[in-house]
Amino acid sequence: MAQGQRRMVERVEPRFEPEKGEEADQGDSFRLTREDRPAPVPLELRERSPSRAKTARSSKGWSLFGGSSSRGGGSNRRGGGGGGSSGGGRKPKRRRSMLYRLTYWSFLLCMWGLLGVGGVVAWYAANLPPIQNLEVPPRPPNVKIVSADGTVIANQGEMGGAAISIKDLPKYVPQAFIAIEDRRFYSHYGVDPQGLARAGYVYLTTHRLTQGGSTLTQQLAKNVFLTPERSLRRKIQEAILAVYLERKFSKNQILEMYINRVYFGAGSYGIEAAAQRYFRKPAKELTIAEAATLAGLVKAPSSLDPTKNPKGAHDRAQLVLDAMVDTGAISAQDEKTALATPVKVSKFAARSSGNYPADWISNQLSDLTGPLDTDVVVETTIDAKLQNLAEQSLRLGLDKSGGKLRVSQGALVAMDPDGAVRAMVGGRSYAESQFNRAISAYRQPGSTFKPFVYLAALMNGATPDTVRDDAPITLAGWSPKDFSREYRGPVSLTTALALSLNTVAVRLCAEVGPKAVVAVAHSLGINSNLDPNPSIALGTSEVTPLEITSAYATFANGGRMVIPYVVKRIRTEKGKVLFQRQAPGNQRVIEDDKVGMMNAMMSQTLTVGTARKYGLPGWQSAGKSGTSQNYRDAWFIGYTSHMVTAVWLGNDDGTSTSRMTGGSLPAQIWNEFMRGAHRGVPSAPLPGRPWVREAPPPEDVIAQQPQFDGAPEDQPVAVEPVMTANAPRNTGRPIADWLNRVLGR
């Protein structure tokens, strides 16, 4: 046995030389006999042999991906049969199950998907500024403008309302937003996987980002850091920033920032602005139904605007109430009560004329306080009741007669004699046009400019009883005419101003010189450029309603020039005073006796003159009507010792009205407003030294006045040559000649 084993493992070398007795046959010299061939190595010996094991491993030929090479597969060439025990072949491989393959490839796809998503996120995150350097920008400051009695007129600034603490709100207000926008707000970390999955599915199936899937934190991140574009890039950045906000702020801080910055439509950002805009009340006074209405607006502020789409807003609010019940924010009974109580939406809040003075105030803030970095309260001189009365008077007057007279716009300014603006309406409707005609429309004042001509004449030595000829006059080819085309001959200055006679005004302007008239107008507060030519007497240079009103205030306050103002004090919400108006020492520009003369003459306009139908019972009032060339502008400016008010009517494009004059509709609107403004106010006379007549006026001058209905008084003039201050002077008939005629001498 031992000898047999040794033989099996002994190497047998081939013989190349024939043995003795054998023939030397070349063909047989390399042939092995059966006995010479080595027997197969037993399996147990092969397994124990290191060299054989190594050789066997190398011959298996497994590929990198789990298959076998041609050498390792199939049958064993040396062993003959594939699976026989005596041949030494391998056992066949077992086929992997379908579950194994599915698991393997699913895992592989998930890994590649995660790598892909990670790459996309990293790419978009790289376009963001370093997270550690990000800071939530401060909320733009709000400017709350209040009337003299504290009533909120408007909120100015980018947000349209002040910030409010979540602690100051009823609990159901923030809960309404959570219920409809992000029910899992208090459980997620800035990103809601369920919402993202829903949005992702919709995007993959429709290729549109119609589903939000955004949490309140993501919406805040979008509002604070990103643009409103709808794209995959922005959604990824939004999610990254939402996680950052969740790490830096508490849930209540995030919720408070959100409700103070979210957009509600109509220029309202934040819950306080929206509450004031739609319900004319502070946010802390919102009812459950009102809170649900505002929470529903966030989805689509324009299409769900309750002032334009009340049914859509109501249906959306009902969904919010249902969600609030589902989340436990309110009870079913609360919802029933809310649905049974109709929400009263303020349709005209955005159209309020109070926005006209509010805009004017906003333009002054930087000069008064410098840059603002906090919410402020501006205390104004505006009287909320008078502001509403002014808006109503102007709108009703235009609604009633505007179509017939072909006039579409108007403006009204009312101020105290010291220049404090009490009401300002800059147009027929703020919602339709935000252009403030009271401060920015430069229009020809027509005959409302004549008082400055007469004042210049008084300063030059004339008196109310001074007589001038109402007769044709020609200056360098220009021949102004009166409205009636009739001439009255010698008239006093009082009569000429009351009847608004053009020829007398032009004569006076030529006497004192156009430059003197311009100087007087500027000294009373007219800031516009005025051309010093004879036609200035008829108001051909343009002015604004505000500046000419302030000039008339000089007559109402006893001769002191005023600078119109509207801001009394500016303070922060915490009470720190940033600006306080100091009482100015108004300079006297008209002597007391001249003030008395002007008031005596101008009061005749409302008793026997062009606006005699519109005097104020119980009050001494004065004023002047005016109509510009071709009936483009119609004015009435009047005053008492209590208030000065100007009304302008016309068309923005400068087209002519239907022969409307200042003594008609403008005087009517003025009277309507002034009656309300003086209701309950003790009567007081106009200031100035009372004028004592030197002699009676020419007989029958007033009696011969045509009985106009509405008193159209001014003949439109065509301005031709520009005259200088050296123009020929026509002094009219001397007073002595007039007295001789009156006395029959």
Side-chain angles (χ1 to χ4, degrees), residues 564-685:
Y565 68 96
V566 68
V567 177
K568 292 191 299 185
R569 187 171 70 156
I570 303 174
R571 58 177 174 83
T572 66
E573 288 281 1
K574 296 182 179 179
K576 180 181 178 181
V577 177
L578 303 179
F579 169 81
Q580 179 74 52
R581 185 181 183 276
Q582 303 299 323
N586 290 347
Q587 178 185 2
R588 176 173 288 278
V589 292
I590 309 176
E591 296 176 357
D592 192 53
D593 62 333
K594 302 299 189 296
V595 173
M597 293 178 186
M598 288 300 302
N599 288 337
M601 288 193 292
M602 295 177 69
S603 63
Q604 294 297 302
T605 301
L606 289 157
T607 56
V608 295
T610 58
R612 65 189 180 280
K613 293 171 57 178
Y614 300 111
L616 299 177
W619 282 85
Q620 184 185 6
S621 55
K624 187 70 187 74
S625 58
T627 309
S628 71
Q629 298 180 65
N630 299 321
Y631 301 95
R632 292 191 180 99
D633 307 275
W635 300 73
F636 190 83
I637 309 173
Y639 57 92
T640 65
S641 58
H642 174 63
M643 183 167 291
V644 187
T645 299
V647 175
W648 165 84
L649 299 180
N651 297 310
D652 287 338
D653 59 3
T655 55
S656 299
T657 65
S658 182
R659 298 180 65 84
M660 180 179 62
T661 63
S664 57
L665 183 58
Q668 179 183 342
I669 294 172
W670 177 89
N671 178 267
E672 178 72 20
F673 171 77
M674 290 289 274
R675 281 175 178 265
H678 287 76
R679 190 171 293 120
V681 179
S683 178

Side-chain angles (χ1 to χ4, degrees), residues 416-485:
D416 289 343
D418 71 344
V421 176
R422 309 293 282 171
M424 174 183 285
V425 181
R428 186 172 191 163
S429 169
Y430 183 84
E432 296 175 2
S433 172
Q434 290 77 53
F435 178 62
N436 191 342
R437 295 155 188 84
I439 63 173
S440 301
Y442 288 84
R443 310 292 298 218
Q444 288 185 342
S447 290
T448 58
F449 195 84
K450 288 177 181 177
F452 310 131
V453 178
Y454 281 75
L455 178 58
L458 296 182
M459 291 179 172
N460 200 42
T463 70
D465 286 343
T466 297
V467 175
R468 293 293 181 265
D469 248 354
D470 176 25
I473 181 175
T474 299
L475 297 175
W478 174 50
S479 301
K481 296 178 177 61
D482 293 333
F483 182 86
S484 64
R485 302 281 178 157

Side-chain angles (χ1 to χ4, degrees), residues 230-248:
R230 286 180 172 270
S231 66
L232 183 62
R233 171 180 176 272
R234 199 220 64 187
K235 295 295 287 185
I236 292 173
Q237 291 179 333
E238 181 184 289
I240 297 170
L241 293 170
V243 175
Y244 159 73
L245 290 175
E246 291 276 349
R247 289 175 59 87
K248 187 168 183 177

Side-chain angles (χ1 to χ4, degrees), residues 25 98 184 207 265 283 302 363 538 562 573 582 594 646 658:
D25 188 348
M98 181 63 69
R184 290 176 288 276
H207 300 289
S302 297
N363 293 333
L538 304 185
V562 302
E573 288 281 1
Q582 303 299 323
K594 302 299 189 296
S658 182

Side-chain angles (χ1 to χ4, degrees), residues 325-340:
V325 173
D326 291 343
T327 58
I330 59 174
S331 66
Q333 182 59 41
D334 291 333
E335 179 184 20
K336 184 177 180 181
T337 303
L339 291 174

Side-chain angles (χ1 to χ4, degrees), residues 366-398:
S366 59
D367 295 332
L368 299 178
T369 64
L372 294 174
D373 57 4
T374 185
D375 291 353
V376 297
V377 178
V378 180
E379 299 173 2
T380 73
T381 61
I382 297 294
D383 185 310
K385 293 181 180 179
L386 292 181
Q387 181 68 30
N388 291 334
L389 177 61
E391 178 183 4
Q392 181 181 8
S393 299
L394 181 65
R395 187 177 67 249
L396 291 179
L398 288 173

Side-chain angles (χ1 to χ4, degrees), residues 296-551:
L297 271 179
V298 174
K299 179 182 179 182
S302 297
S303 61
L304 295 176
D305 185 341
T307 64
K308 301 175 182 177
N309 183 12
K311 184 180 184 305
H314 176 270
D315 293 345
R316 177 67 176 170
Q318 188 166 355
L319 290 177
V320 176
L321 291 171
D322 291 341
M324 293 175 74
V325 173
D326 291 343
T327 58
I330 59 174
S331 66
Q333 182 59 41
D334 291 333
E335 179 184 20
K336 184 177 180 181
T337 303
L339 291 174
T341 306
V343 173
K344 296 181 180 179
V345 178
S346 178
K347 295 184 178 181
F348 300 102
R351 304 178 185 179
S352 172
S353 65
N355 287 286
Y356 286 118
D359 291 346
W360 180 40
I361 291 166
S362 295
N363 293 333
Q364 303 176 41
L365 281 182
S366 59
D367 295 332
L368 299 178
T369 64
L372 294 174
D373 57 4
T374 185
D375 291 353
V376 297
V377 178
V378 180
E379 299 173 2
T380 73
T381 61
I382 297 294
D383 185 310
K385 293 181 180 179
L386 292 181
Q387 181 68 30
N388 291 334
L389 177 61
E391 178 183 4
Q392 181 181 8
S393 299
L394 181 65
R395 187 177 67 249
L396 291 179
L398 288 173
D399 289 347
K400 181 180 179 180
S401 305
K404 178 177 64 176
L405 296 173
R406 293 208 307 267
V407 58
S408 59
Q409 281 296 345
L412 186 152
V413 179
M415 66 175 62
D416 289 343
D418 71 344
V421 176
R422 309 293 282 171
M424 174 183 285
V425 181
R428 186 172 191 163
S429 169
Y430 183 84
E432 296 175 2
S433 172
Q434 290 77 53
F435 178 62
N436 191 342
R437 295 155 188 84
I439 63 173
S440 301
Y442 288 84
R443 310 292 298 218
Q444 288 185 342
S447 290
T448 58
F449 195 84
K450 288 177 181 177
F452 310 131
V453 178
Y454 281 75
L455 178 58
L458 296 182
M459 291 179 172
N460 200 42
T463 70
D465 286 343
T466 297
V467 175
R468 293 293 181 265
D469 248 354
D470 176 25
I473 181 175
T474 299
L475 297 175
W478 174 50
S479 301
K481 296 178 177 61
D482 293 333
F483 182 86
S484 64
R485 302 281 178 157
E486 297 178 357
Y487 300 99
R488 295 166 178 79
V491 294
S492 69
L493 299 191
T494 299
T495 300
L497 184 58
L499 300 182
S500 197
L501 302 179
N502 290 336
T503 60
V504 175
V506 172
R507 277 189 164 87
L508 291 176
C509 182
E511 289 177 18
V512 301
K515 286 186 177 180
V517 173
V518 169
V520 167
H522 283 161
S523 71
L524 268 62
I526 299 292
N527 296 317
S528 298
N529 292 326
L530 303 174
D531 293 329
N533 56 52
S535 68
I536 193 69
L538 304 185
T540 54
S541 289
E542 297 175 336
V543 297
T544 68
L546 178 65
E547 62 182 333
I548 197 168
T549 307
S550 65

